[in-house]
Amino acid sequence: MNTNLDSPAYLSQQTFHHLMAQAPVAISVLRGPQFTIELANSQILEVWGKDESVIGLPLTEGLPEIKNQPFVGLLQNVYKTGITHYGYEAKVTLIRRNIPGDYYFNFVYQAVTHSDGTISGIMVVATDVTEQVLSRRKLEDAEERHRLAAEATGLGTFDLDLQKGVIIHSPRLAEIFGRKSTDVISHPELRQIILPVDLHIVISAFDRALRTGIYFYEARVIWLDATIHWIRTTGKIIYGDDGTPLRMLGTIQDISEQKRILDDLQKSEENLRLATQAAEVGTFDLDLLNHSMVWDRRCRELFGMEDFDGPVSYDNQFLLGLHPDDKEKTDQAVNRSYHRQLSNGEYDVEYRTIGIDDKKLRWVRAKGKVSFNDDDIPQRFIGAVLDITENKLNEIRKNDFIAIASHELKTPLTSLKAYIQLLHVNARRSGDSFLLNALQKSENQINKMTKLIYGFLDLSKLESGKLRLERHEFDLNALIEEVAAENRPIAQSHAITFLGGKPIIITADREKIGQVINNLISNAVKYSPKNTDIKVLVQRLNNQVKVSVRDNGIGIKLKDQQHIFQRFYRVEDDSTKGFSGFGIGLYLSAEIVELHQGKIGVESSEGQGSEFYFVLPV
Ligand code: ADP
């Protein structure tokens, strides 16, 4: 119905103006085919960004910026047909305070008629909805960005209308449910794809979501090809102003791969747990960033506190549980493993514990590894501990036996040697060459035996920590010459050469260093064929001196080289058949050199001879 503003029955002009000015909406009356602005209330002037000076001007003069916008056309249409036009969220470009900008309006163009029914103008009523439109756009943009981000990470997205039970989902979601990306799946259908035994998980998650607003579950779905896949759903409920849940927005992710990895991990952890249990190995795990430590039951047992379930710490349980004599060296070994340069994070020690609760003494072997970050800062220290008490006690008993036996053998051997030396004097006097020869051989054997026995004695001293150095200043060259000379009569089959030079004065245990040189020379003789050369060399390097013994013997394989300095290690293969020994010579030598803060090593390859060397600080 058109408005007849001229009708006296309607409203007086004045009343109308007054009404318009009061109206909470923007109103204007445009008169004639030029759409002359006859009336414009303050709201519409504000919307236009103009003042009252536009009143009386044709619309396109008052608001020249609308000339190229569709409104003039719409007005003309209404003017011509009388059909009211409703605009919804229409965009208008307006120049407000000289600044052009886009605004959005809901508006009505309604024809105004003369009393004879002919159209005389148009009434414009407009509501500025710019703010709503822009904020809705923003929301839509955000939702779109969200959706795109979700799709990019392989997430499916959904929007469930909780009132109607209608779901809108992304193509990816259909894929996660084992359908084609173009498939559209309804909410009840989605539920049917859930593995029946997991359906209760989904239902209770949904109920919980209605109470808490948060939706979360992990469950299995069964695809059309009958394969089973894990999904993880997270969602959030959107409520209306009155608190009724309106929609649920969320994402769904295929977590089958994650689940598989986790499963494998759990399986291997379980295997490891069973294996460590079977081997009675305890485990420890130190988080070096948070300074926390975890011990399993077996580890607690080895520290004599199997009934203690509480938290453990490095200072209170570990250090406290160590035997006082082993505390310092073990603590040092741990600290060493925290320096990548020093230890490469490796930790391998033996120590004694005194049970914190049961006060029992136990021997423990611990092996561990520290992991570092890129800046070499230690992060985590994990390892295993093993009870070696039984072995250790056996070993101690064995060592004690060797020590006692060696000690007891020393006296008869010394007197045997004295008697042989006496016989030697007599034989020389009588000139009996057979006797002389036999006695020389006996003496050689006795010397060998003496060396062996002293070796065993040293070994037991070393094991019990009683091997002490007696340091004096002496000339290293003189010592080497002495040892070489001692060996020559025994090893006439080899040419032992040594070119000493100016005296090299070092401070060390002369006897023990002599023992090391002697051991290297006698090994060189032992492990190289007759009539080959053995060269002893000395080199001065800055603050160090290096002694090497080179032979042309059987050589040593690389894989054996790393073990030959270990106690009782002997190379057992065809090349060493027929060589007797106990595998303690190099072990003792290495320990002696280490006590001097020196370094021992070998360079060799099979069949190519060997060069053993040690370096001492000067
Ligand atoms: P032993 O000689 O009593 O077996 P050692 O501790 O002196 O014990 O040596 C350990 C092992 O190292 C020997 O069994 C031998 O296999 C190897 N070895 C030592 N010296 C040499 C050498 N000069 N050439 C080849 N092999 C050697």
Side-chain angles (χ1 to χ4, degrees):
M1 192 194 81
N2 294 340
T3 309
N4 185 343
L5 292 179
D6 297 338
S7 155
Y10 192 65
L11 285 170
S12 77
Q13 192 95 336
Q14 228 176 349
T15 319
F16 181 71
H17 279 207
H18 185 68
L19 241 177
M20 253 184 53
Q22 300 294 314
V25 286
I27 300 180
S28 159
V29 174
L30 309 174
R31 191 68 78 176
Q34 297 297 313
F35 305 122
T36 306
I37 303 170
E38 185 183 278
L39 290 170
N41 71 355
S42 58
Q43 282 91 328
I44 207 152
L45 289 175
E46 195 171 317
V47 162
W48 287 342
K50 308 284 183 269
D51 58 25
E52 288 184 345
S53 62
V54 298
I55 296 176
L57 297 177
L59 184 68
T60 47
E61 262 175 54
L63 276 89
E65 61 264 36
I66 71 154
K67 251 184 220 158
N68 298 321
Q69 298 184 48
F71 305 102
V72 181
L74 291 172
L75 286 168
Q76 282 165 346
N77 204 34
V78 176
Y79 194 77
K80 213 160 60 195
T81 62
I83 299 169
T84 307
H85 178 87
Y86 297 92
Y88 181 69
E89 292 184 359
K91 186 167 102 178
V92 191
T93 307
L94 291 168
I95 299 174
R96 289 187 182 164
R97 281 171 224 93
N98 291 326
I99 303 165
D102 290 340
Y103 303 92
Y104 296 86
F105 292 96
N106 291 342
F107 65 89
V108 186
Y109 290 165
Q110 190 176 20
V112 177
T113 53
H114 290 294
S115 46
D116 62 1
T118 54
I119 293 173
S120 66
I122 291 176
M123 181 164 76
V124 177
V125 179
T127 336
D128 187 343
V129 291
T130 310
E131 227 160 87
Q132 288 99 293
V133 171
L134 289 185
S135 57
R136 204 192 53 241
R137 289 254 166 111
K138 251 190 221 156
L139 194 72
E140 280 167 1
D141 281 357
E143 271 183 10
E144 178 65 6
R145 272 201 303 275
H146 217 115
R147 199 187 56 73
L148 288 175
E151 301 266 300
T153 51
L155 295 173
T157 53
F158 65 87
D159 180 349
L160 173 67
D161 184 329
L162 292 167
Q163 305 293 311
K164 298 186 191 126
V166 174
I167 197 163
I168 300 170
H169 64 77
S170 66
R172 173 73 190 132
L173 186 134
E175 285 175 351
I176 293 172
F177 277 80
R179 302 294 188 268
K180 285 201 295 282
S181 60
T182 45
D183 284 355
V184 174
I185 318 173
S186 70
H187 191 222
E189 276 167 348
L190 280 175
R191 289 234 167 146
Q192 280 163 17
I193 302 175
I194 304 279
L195 198 68
V197 287
D198 283 358
L199 196 59
H200 71 280
I201 301 176
V202 180
I203 292 171
S204 57
F206 195 80
D207 291 345
R208 200 168 40 246
L210 292 179
R211 276 181 277 115
T212 62
I214 304 290
Y215 192 38
F216 178 84
Y217 70 82
E218 285 180 5
R220 285 161 296 176
V221 290
I222 179 155
W223 286 13
L224 288 176
D225 63 4
T227 55
I228 290 176
H229 297 256
W230 274 97
I231 59 164
R232 174 184 296 150
T233 300
T234 31
K236 224 180 149 169
I237 288 189
I238 311 283
Y239 296 92
D241 291 340
D242 59 353
T244 42
L246 298 180
R247 289 159 70 194
M248 184 195 279
L249 302 178
T251 58
I252 295 194
Q253 188 186 1
D254 185 335
I255 54 161
S256 308
E257 185 61 12
Q258 271 160 270
K259 281 279 181 193
R260 197 188 54 71
I261 293 170
L262 201 71
D263 240 37
D264 288 353
L265 198 71
Q266 272 166 355
K267 264 186 219 139
S268 66
E269 264 179 14
E270 176 65 8
N271 286 344
L272 188 69
R273 201 180 58 73
L274 289 174
T276 52
Q277 229 171 38
E280 301 199 311
V281 174
T283 56
F284 61 86
D285 187 347
L286 269 89
D287 179 337
L288 301 172
L289 297 178
N290 299 315
H291 306 286
S292 62
M293 183 167 91
V294 176
W295 276 4
D296 73 350
R297 169 125 332 275
R298 180 68 183 148
C299 194
R300 286 163 194 255
E301 246 170 62
L302 295 185
F303 278 79
M305 36 180 276
E306 73 179 298
D307 297 327
F308 181 68
D309 288 327
V312 285
S313 74
Y314 186 81
D315 289 335
N316 291 336
Q317 276 73 26
F318 179 69
L319 286 184
L320 199 79
L322 291 176
H323 187 291
D325 292 349
D326 293 348
K327 200 169 285 189
E328 199 182 317
K329 79 161 202 229
T330 313
D331 190 32
Q332 275 171 6
V334 171
N335 286 315
R336 219 178 109 82
S337 65
Y338 294 163
H339 292 95
R340 202 205 292 264
Q341 274 77 17
L342 287 181
S343 60
N344 196 27
E346 311 273 352
Y347 168 73
D348 187 350
V349 285
E350 282 182 13
Y351 52 74
R352 284 162 292 175
T353 61
I354 306 279
I356 293 173
D357 295 333
D358 66 8
K359 306 288 173 237
K360 250 169 79 177
L361 178 116
R362 292 175 180 85
W363 276 93
V364 174
R365 161 100 190 265
K367 243 178 116 88
K369 180 96 193 164
V370 174
S371 49
F372 299 87
N373 68 6
D374 291 344
D375 300 326
D376 283 355
I377 309 286
Q379 311 282 300
R380 195 173 169 193
F381 178 27
I382 2 183
V385 283
L386 187 67
D387 188 342
I388 53 161
T389 311
E390 189 127 341
N391 290 354
K392 210 61 197 184
L393 293 180
N394 281 338
E395 203 176 284
I396 289 169
R397 276 193 283 272
K398 192 182 74 197
N399 281 341
D400 286 351
F401 169 76
I402 292 173
I404 294 166
S406 313
H407 191 77
E408 293 301 318
L409 281 171
K410 244 171 46 180
T411 327
L413 211 60
T414 316
S415 59
L416 201 61
K417 187 169 171 162
Y419 280 118
I420 284 180
Q421 276 166 349
L422 272 179
L423 284 174
H424 223 134
V425 176
N426 279 344
R428 222 176 285 141
R429 232 182 262 145
S430 69
D432 185 334
S433 62
F434 170 75
L435 207 60
L436 263 176
N437 192 20
L439 285 171
Q440 180 61 53
K441 285 196 170 136
S442 312
E443 201 179 341
N444 285 352
Q445 294 303 324
I446 285 180
N447 283 342
K448 262 194 190 170
M449 214 158 141
T450 312
K451 233 173 85 182
L452 255 179
I453 282 169
Y454 276 90
F456 281 128
L457 274 174
D458 279 347
L459 182 70
S460 72
K461 275 191 210 154
L462 192 75
E463 306 278 272
S464 54
K466 287 186 198 131
L467 192 76
R468 304 249 184 271
L469 298 183
E470 282 179 34
R471 293 178 195 257
H472 304 285
E473 271 193 3
F474 64 89
D475 173 12
L476 182 64
N477 274 338
L479 176 66
I480 299 172
E481 188 43 60
E482 210 172 283
V483 178
E486 264 171 37
N487 274 279
R488 281 187 193 110
I490 314 166
Q492 284 168 7
S493 50
H494 294 75
I496 304 172
T497 57
F498 170 60
L499 286 180
K502 275 189 285 172
I504 297 177
I505 306 298
I506 61 166
T507 305
D509 188 321
R510 191 175 194 276
E511 199 196 314
K512 302 233 158 39
I513 295 298
Q515 218 175 307
V516 174
I517 301 166
N518 189 25
N519 185 37
L520 298 186
I521 294 179
S522 49
N523 273 351
V525 172
K526 186 166 153 189
Y527 295 106
S528 57
K530 283 189 177 135
N531 303 319
T532 54
D533 288 347
I534 290 160
K535 281 202 176 74
V536 186
L537 301 162
V538 178
Q539 272 173 283
R540 271 208 78 144
L541 331 143
N542 295 333
N543 300 327
Q544 294 178 316
V545 57
K546 180 177 178 182
V547 178
S548 18
V549 178
R550 230 179 255 171
D551 65 46
N552 294 295
I554 59 171
I556 307 162
K557 285 188 196 124
L558 202 64
K559 76 170 172 54
D560 290 314
Q561 287 177 21
Q562 42 189 325
H563 298 295
I564 51 173
F565 296 100
Q566 290 166 2
R567 196 177 46 166
F568 302 137
Y569 189 87
R570 309 201 65 232
V571 177
E572 307 274 1
D573 58 25
D574 288 347
S575 68
T576 56
K577 246 187 220 151
F579 294 110
S580 64
F582 287 95
I584 57 170
L586 286 181
Y587 170 65
L588 277 175
S589 302
E591 293 290 324
I592 291 170
V593 170
E594 201 161 289
L595 282 174
H596 282 89
Q597 277 84 44
K599 214 181 106 197
I600 197 164
V602 64
E603 269 161 34
S604 176
S605 53
E606 204 183 3
Q608 302 292 311
S610 314
E611 176 173 341
F612 279 86
Y613 62 84
F614 64 89
V615 179
L616 293 178
V618 174

